[in-house]
């Protein structure tokens, strides 16, 4: 199991990826590797064809028909890994059909070959699911960007009102980060599709001169890349998956943090999609909690230390590791599962996100125009210089707060009261400077650029 609870796994994982890394899923892939190994060795004349056929037949059965999971788990405590008792059970199952065929199970391989290659196959399946989910989330973000490219809202820095922006630009930030995550995922998926086959010490001495041919056939049978050499103690491929998914989960966490803050009652600019049983409270009927964001943020908290474990495990001893490799067994599946779960949750949130444009516009006016002080300062600065202009707008801002009026009116009165600056800004200019839509900068252009970059990345992958 990727985590420790079948009760909470569905909340923080995705059904497909949980199934891939389930006990049955792990045994299925280990059986697939053993079957492909026998097939490759028979093709190269290393073991009898008849023996390979029996091994393949047994490995094709449902895992529970071949492997006693409970006995396997208990035997692994003494063996040090799953492969040793796994091979014993598989051999016994083959020998029940053909005693001679049982002699050739796991021929020339080592435990780590089977465990690592099975993991590579699981990763290929899981990362395919994540790739599809990432594309779906990106498309949902692109739709939000397009729909709200010009929807006015306030930008917040240090959690305070800053300047006008658009919701489309905020969503564009999410989208562009996802585009970079997509590129990183492509590389990680490519690098991780590497066969692990080196025998006891990475030399494949057990297969003699037949080793290159068997390795090539095995890679072909499993549809994996054949690396230049075995990588038992060099874990960068696996760690690249971990760090890539760590960054993806961080991107999703950023999105979840933004959305959950915008959902606060006092802000109320967006809301997660609603539905029966979603986001309620056991005691407060009025509550509409950001449950999707909570699941994503949970993953964003859990994944970084797991990634750190993978990084720490890279300093492995000589040709086969003592502890570092073993630390990956539960850690990497948890990272993959949590990332997939966070992706599923965030896709649901963004696809059904309810955006209150009217509320966003009202919130823009909470400061009565004070957030447009920079615009006024720059306009005045063109006439009297930046520092004097800054002083005037600062004075007008204090006056607006003291009198409970708008910055526009306070600035008009401040200029009118100063003989040196009377008439610097006429009413039309003051009205223009008080319109948030006139000071959103390149918000719509940036939003459009993010959508275009996403579409280009998608089309490039389709043609690659």
């Amino acid at each position: 199991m990727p985590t420790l609870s079948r009760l909470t796994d569905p909340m923080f994982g995705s059904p497909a990826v949980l199934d891939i890394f389930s006990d049955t899923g792990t045994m299925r892939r280990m059986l697939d590797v053993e079957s492909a190994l026998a097939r490759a060795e028979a093709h190269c004349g290393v073991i009898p064809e008849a023996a390979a056929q029996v091994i393949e037949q047994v490995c094709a059965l449902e895992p529970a028909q071949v492997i006693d999971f409970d006995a396997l788990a208990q035997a692994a405590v003494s063996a040090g890994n799953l492969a040793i008792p796994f091979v014993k059970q598989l051999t016994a199952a083959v020998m029940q059909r053909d005693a001679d065929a049982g002699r050739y199970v796991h021929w020339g391989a080592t435990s780590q070959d089977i465990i690592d290659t099975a993991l590579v196959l699981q990763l290929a399946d899981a990362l395919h699911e994540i790739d599809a989910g990432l594309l779906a989330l990106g498309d949902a973000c692109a739709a939000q960007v397009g729909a709200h490219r010009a929807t006015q809202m306030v930008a917040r820095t240090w959690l305070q009102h800053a300047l006008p922006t658009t919701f489309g630009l905020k969503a564009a930030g999410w989208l562009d980060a996802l585009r970079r995550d997509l590129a990183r995922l492509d590389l990680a998926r490519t690098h991780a599709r590497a066969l692990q086959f080196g025998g006891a010490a990475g030399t494949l001495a057990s297969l003699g001169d037949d080793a290159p041919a068997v390795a090539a056939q095995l890679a072909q049978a499993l549809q994996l890349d054949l690396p230049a050499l075995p990588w038992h103690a060099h874990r960068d491929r696996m760690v690249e998956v971990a760090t890539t998914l760590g960054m993806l989960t961080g991107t999703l966490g950023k999105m979840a943090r933004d959305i959950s803050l915008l959902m606060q009652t006092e802000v109320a600019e967006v809301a997660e999609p609603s539905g029966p049983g979603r986001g309620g409270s056991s005691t407060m009927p009025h509550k509409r909690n950001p449950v999707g964001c909570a699941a994503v943020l949970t993953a964003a908290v859990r994944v970084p230390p797991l990634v750190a474990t993978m990084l720490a495990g890279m300093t492995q001893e000589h040709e086969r590791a003592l502890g570092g490799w073993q630390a990956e067994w539960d850690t990497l599946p948890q990272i993959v599962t949590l990332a997939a779960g966070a992706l599923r949750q965030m896709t649901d949130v963004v696809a059904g996100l309810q955006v209150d444009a009217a509320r966003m516009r009202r919130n823009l006016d909470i400061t009565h125009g004070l957030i447009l002080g920079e615009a006024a300062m720059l306009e005045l600065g063109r006439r009297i210089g930046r520092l004097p202009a800054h002083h005037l707008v600062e004075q007008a801002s204090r006056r607006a707060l003291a009198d409970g009026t708008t910055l526009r009116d306070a600035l008009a009165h401040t200029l009118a009261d100063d003989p040196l600056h009377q008439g610097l800004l006429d009413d039309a200019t003051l009205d223009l400077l008080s319109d948030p839509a006139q000071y959103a900068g390149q918000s719509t252009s940036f939003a459009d650029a993010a959508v275009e970059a996403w579409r280009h990345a998608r089309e490039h992958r389709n043609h690659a």
Side-chain angles (χ1 to χ4, degrees):
M1 296 289 289
T3 63
L4 298 177
S5 173
R6 64 173 56 182
L7 298 177
T8 57
D9 276 349
M11 192 187 312
F12 302 114
S14 80
V17 176
L18 284 167
D19 185 60
I20 289 166
F21 287 107
S22 67
D23 293 345
T24 298
T26 298
M27 290 299 102
R28 174 71 274 151
R29 283 316 200 175
M30 290 177 70
L31 288 168
D32 289 344
V33 176
E34 292 286 1
S35 177
L37 174 62
R39 191 182 324 133
E41 290 176 334
H43 183 273
C44 297
V46 174
I47 69 173
E49 176 64 32
Q53 289 179 2
V54 176
I55 294 170
E56 288 183 73
Q57 290 168 4
V58 173
C59 289
L61 298 171
E62 288 299 315
Q65 295 179 273
V66 183
I67 304 297
D68 182 331
F69 289 16
D70 291 336
L72 180 70
Q74 291 303 312
V77 175
S78 298
N81 66 58
L82 291 175
I84 294 173
F86 166 84
V87 171
K88 288 183 179 178
Q89 288 197 33
L90 175 59
T91 301
V94 172
M95 291 186 72
Q96 285 183 349
R97 294 195 175 203
D98 187 321
D100 187 62
R103 297 165 49 199
Y104 299 102
V105 172
H106 194 65
W107 189 267
T110 195
S111 298
Q112 190 168 350
D113 292 336
I114 306 305
I115 291 174
D116 273 353
T117 301
L119 175 61
V120 166
L121 294 173
Q122 288 174 292
L123 286 176
D125 293 338
L127 294 180
H128 175 77
E129 295 289 336
I130 288 176
D131 182 76
L134 183 47
L135 290 172
L137 176 56
D139 289 344
C141 279
Q144 292 287 3
V145 175
H148 296 286
R149 59 188 295 276
T151 300
Q152 297 175 48
M153 70 177 299
V154 67
R156 296 169 173 92
T157 62
W158 288 41
L159 293 175
Q160 307 297 307
H161 281 211
L163 296 173
T165 185
T166 69
F167 183 67
L169 180 56
K170 181 179 286 291
W174 305 337
L175 177 62
D176 211 42
L178 292 172
R179 180 180 59 82
R180 296 189 295 275
D181 285 314
L182 187 65
R184 284 188 286 264
L185 183 63
D186 281 343
L187 285 175
R189 290 175 70 196
T190 299
H191 294 159
R193 291 190 61 85
L195 174 72
Q196 176 72 283
F197 190 51
T203 65
L204 270 183
S206 55
L207 294 178
D209 293 340
D210 294 314
V214 172
Q217 283 293 320
L218 180 57
Q220 181 179 348
L222 294 172
Q223 297 183 328
L224 297 176
D225 295 332
L226 179 64
L229 67 162
W231 44 276
H232 290 131
H234 296 275
R235 311 305 296 178
D236 53 290
R237 293 176 175 90
M238 301 298 99
V239 174
E240 184 179 15
V241 172
T243 55
T244 296
L245 296 182
M247 284 187 278
L248 171 59
T249 306
T251 297
L252 301 175
K254 157 64 176 168
M255 297 171 65
R257 186 71 74 196
D258 281 351
I259 292 169
S260 58
L261 288 172
L262 294 176
M263 278 187 68
Q264 291 183 107
T265 305
E266 296 82 357
V267 180
E269 293 180 353
V270 303
E272 286 192 4
S274 61
R278 182 184 177 96
S281 166
S282 61
T283 59
M284 295 174 283
H286 68 281
K287 290 295 291 295
R288 185 171 175 183
N289 294 318
V291 291
C293 289
V296 174
L297 289 167
T298 299
V301 169
R302 291 175 61 185
V303 167
L306 295 171
V307 173
T309 298
M310 293 292 295
L311 287 165
M314 290 185 73
T315 53
Q316 301 197 356
E317 303 80 13
H318 301 304
E319 281 64 52
R320 299 280 296 281
L322 183 67
W325 173 57
Q326 292 83 351
E328 294 179 8
W329 296 345
D330 291 331
T331 303
L332 188 53
Q334 286 187 38
I335 292 171
V336 179
T337 302
L338 287 167
L343 190 56
R344 174 180 63 89
Q345 291 275 7
M346 187 47 62
T347 302
D348 290 344
V349 168
V350 173
L353 192 67
Q354 299 173 14
V355 179
D356 190 338
R359 178 71 177 209
M360 288 178 174
R361 185 61 185 82
R362 289 197 298 274
N363 284 346
L364 264 174
D365 295 331
I366 285 177
T367 64
H368 303 297
L370 289 178
I371 63 169
L372 292 165
E374 182 185 69
M377 180 194 70
L378 292 175
E379 185 63 31
L380 283 169
R382 294 186 182 95
R383 294 163 168 79
I384 61 175
R386 183 184 181 282
L387 286 178
H390 187 282
H391 175 73
L392 275 175
V393 175
E394 187 176 41
Q395 183 181 349
S397 297
R398 287 196 296 267
R399 184 171 187 166
L401 288 171
D403 296 347
T405 188
T406 65
L407 176 62
R408 185 237 184 264
D409 291 344
L411 184 57
H413 290 136
T414 299
L415 292 173
D417 292 346
D418 188 338
L420 293 176
H421 301 126
Q422 288 179 358
L424 276 179
L425 300 177
D426 58 24
D427 286 343
T429 302
L430 286 169
D431 290 341
L432 193 66
L433 292 173
S434 301
D435 182 1
Q438 300 301 315
Y439 204 67
Q442 299 299 309
S443 296
T444 55
S445 296
F446 288 153
D448 293 343
V451 172
E452 181 59 29
W454 174 258
R455 289 174 177 164
H456 177 77
R458 251 189 161 286
E459 290 171 2
H460 178 73
R461 294 175 94 244
N462 290 338
H463 295 143

